[in-house]
Amino acid sequence: MHVVIRHYEGSSKLIDELVGRRKDVEELIREVDGFVAYYLIKTANGGASISVFENEAGTAESNKRAAAYIKENLAGVASGPPNVIEGQAVIDFR
């Protein structure tokens, strides 16, 4: 499994907008080949998304789609680009 975390620090408004566009977000991410799971987390100072895919190609594609969606639909809402952390899951408890 491959995981990508996009941390949107200082972007509470962006997280609220994504919650309001849940259907768009689901459609955007779920269509990526190898999709396993997606989580959007709201924090006191913004939030983060966690996307899980079967392979690295899925995380790369989800990063590309997320960036394009925000640029096209939510320009100016985020306080800046997210801090992106991605890699292979080495422990998986379910």
Side-chain angles (χ1 to χ4, degrees):
M1 297 288 175
H2 276 74
V3 179
V4 61
I5 301 169
R6 290 182 288 275
H7 182 212
Y8 299 95
E9 188 170 2
S11 294
S12 295
K13 186 174 180 183
L14 173 66
I15 301 303
D16 291 341
E17 286 289 330
L18 291 172
V19 169
R21 297 166 184 242
R22 178 189 173 115
K23 186 175 180 177
D24 288 349
V25 173
E26 180 177 3
E27 191 174 290
L28 182 81
I29 299 298
R30 193 177 286 278
E31 290 179 352
V32 175
D33 285 341
F35 171 80
V36 175
Y38 176 84
Y39 305 93
L40 184 64
I41 302 165
K42 185 170 184 170
T43 66
N45 188 29
S49 66
I50 301 170
S51 302
V52 183
F53 294 89
E54 293 175 357
N55 54 48
E56 189 175 359
T59 58
E61 180 64 21
S62 74
N63 283 334
K64 183 176 141 185
R65 289 182 183 205
Y69 181 84
I70 290 172
K71 182 179 180 182
E72 293 170 15
N73 298 284
L74 297 167
V77 176
S79 65
N83 179 27
V84 178
I85 302 167
E86 62 182 292
Q88 184 175 2
V90 293
I91 295 178
D92 181 358
F93 295 124
R94 293 188 212 198

